[in-house]
Amino acid sequence: MFPVQRLRRLRKTDILRKMVRETTLAPQDFIYPMFVVPGKGVKNSISSMPGCFQESIDEAVKTAKEVYSLNIPAIILFGIPENKDEKASDAYKDNGVVQQAIKAIKDFIPELIIITDVCLCEYTSHGHCGIIKNGTIDNDATLEVLALEAVSHARAGADIVAPSDMMDGRVGKIRKSLDEEGFTDVVILSYAAKYASAFYGPFREAAQSVPAFGDRRSYQMDPANRREAIREVALDIEEGADMVIIKPALSYLDIISDVKQSFNVPVAAYNVSGEYSMIKAAAQFGWLNEETVMMEILTSIKRAGADIILSYFAREAARLLQR
Ligand code: PBG
């Protein structure tokens, strides 16, 4: 008790504060998300996500090289296909845009970990994450397509597949299919607790995956639910998930903390597009100091319990950390 206890003693100098710091960030903590499109020499800016681009494979290779040179260990790839249809056929084509991107990046930077987002929303004409039957998203029919997609990513050389569709049973189905095809070493990073969030808005511009009707609330989680996240994570681990993602991150720090305390798998958090855009916008107005706020937010996500952070800030943060 005061005056014997004076917590300010340990805050006196920068070097002392560093010595007693409980949470630190490193480039190795990050996964950088990338959007690949067909074509050559394409680098389209995404208006709501300054600094992020839709890139053709040749450009994506350059970006991936830079990411690796910053000591960021992994990228996650999202594909914007040539054609979209009811069945999401482009999702599992062996010469699809993601499949080709994986091969090209692996050719140049074999060490960089390639994660692929396994979902149908970028590939369906209606923009939903599943196959539609009688006007609703059919869970079990979707599983078949997700498994084909995951296997085709693995065949192209993906190290990790990350199912983000939120259908029930998809992790088990994907694990079984990967194993049957001989991909027993391909890791599953499941978006286990993915909430129906308005923070995905800018991403849907980037990935061109706005649902043509309705919304995703019949498959993504209700933002009001905390205990349900534990059930989702437990099921995914039972079905074979090696690591799990909580998404979004910022409004869900309690969930990250709960999951970290309840399970022993590595926990990732997705610092999503809207969380990125908010800061970029405020910084453009001169309302916030972008660098400081970015580091504060990323630190808070790690402090809550995330071992890994998927973030559009990954490159900027890694650059700062290298200084
Ligand atoms: C695909 C998917 C989404 C995101 C990652 N994977 C969009 C969605 O569910 O609508 C969002 C990522 C972000 O907002 O940064 N299902």
Side-chain angles (χ1 to χ4, degrees), residues 11 66 153 184 269 288 311 317:
R11 296 177 197 151
E66 192 214 335
H153 292 170
T184 50
L288 285 177
S311 179

Side-chain angles (χ1 to χ4, degrees), residues 74-243:
I75 55 173
I76 180 162
L77 294 178
F78 296 92
I80 296 114
E82 204 99 55
N83 300 302
K84 299 183 188 236
D85 62 20
E86 292 273 306
K87 294 184 307 209
S89 327
D90 270 26
Y92 50 91
K93 271 200 326 207
D94 279 341
N95 61 348
V97 68
V98 164
Q99 289 80 353
Q100 288 185 44
I102 299 167
K103 287 181 206 147
I105 295 168
K106 277 284 168 199
D107 272 351
F108 284 97
I109 328 148
E111 299 87 0
L112 182 69
I113 298 167
I114 299 187
I115 307 172
T116 57
D117 187 81
V118 173
C119 195
L120 306 189
C121 61
E122 295 117 70
Y123 303 93
T124 50
S125 40
H126 46 70
H128 276 290
C129 304
I131 299 298
I132 295 188
K133 279 193 182 161
N134 306 321
T136 57
I137 289 110
D138 188 291
N139 192 89
D140 300 10
T142 302
L143 300 187
E144 302 296 327
V145 186
L146 291 169
L148 291 174
E149 183 181 12
V151 167
S152 87
H153 292 170
R155 204 178 291 125
D159 302 288
I160 302 180
V161 292
S164 71
D165 52 284
M166 289 300 278
M167 296 301 128
D168 289 321
R170 89 270 209 220
V171 173
K173 172 75 185 169
I174 289 173
R175 184 72 273 162
K176 188 162 172 281
S177 300
L178 287 172
D179 290 354
E180 281 168 4
E181 298 291 326
F183 299 112
T184 50
D185 287 343
V186 169
V187 170
I188 298 180
L189 164 64
S190 81
Y191 289 77
K194 176 171 175 181
Y195 287 86
S197 170
F199 284 102
Y200 307 150
F203 172 94
R204 291 181 191 165
E205 179 204 338
Q208 290 160 12
S209 62
V210 182
F213 62 90
D215 53 48
R216 303 208 201 289
R217 283 182 291 182
S218 78
Y219 39 105
Q220 300 180 347
M221 285 177 63
D222 183 340
N225 293 358
R226 184 166 178 175
R227 287 172 301 159
E228 190 188 1
I230 299 292
R231 295 187 70 197
E232 282 285 4
V233 172
L235 280 172
D236 279 12
I237 294 172
E238 246 177 71
E239 289 179 32
D242 301 288
M243 308 190 272

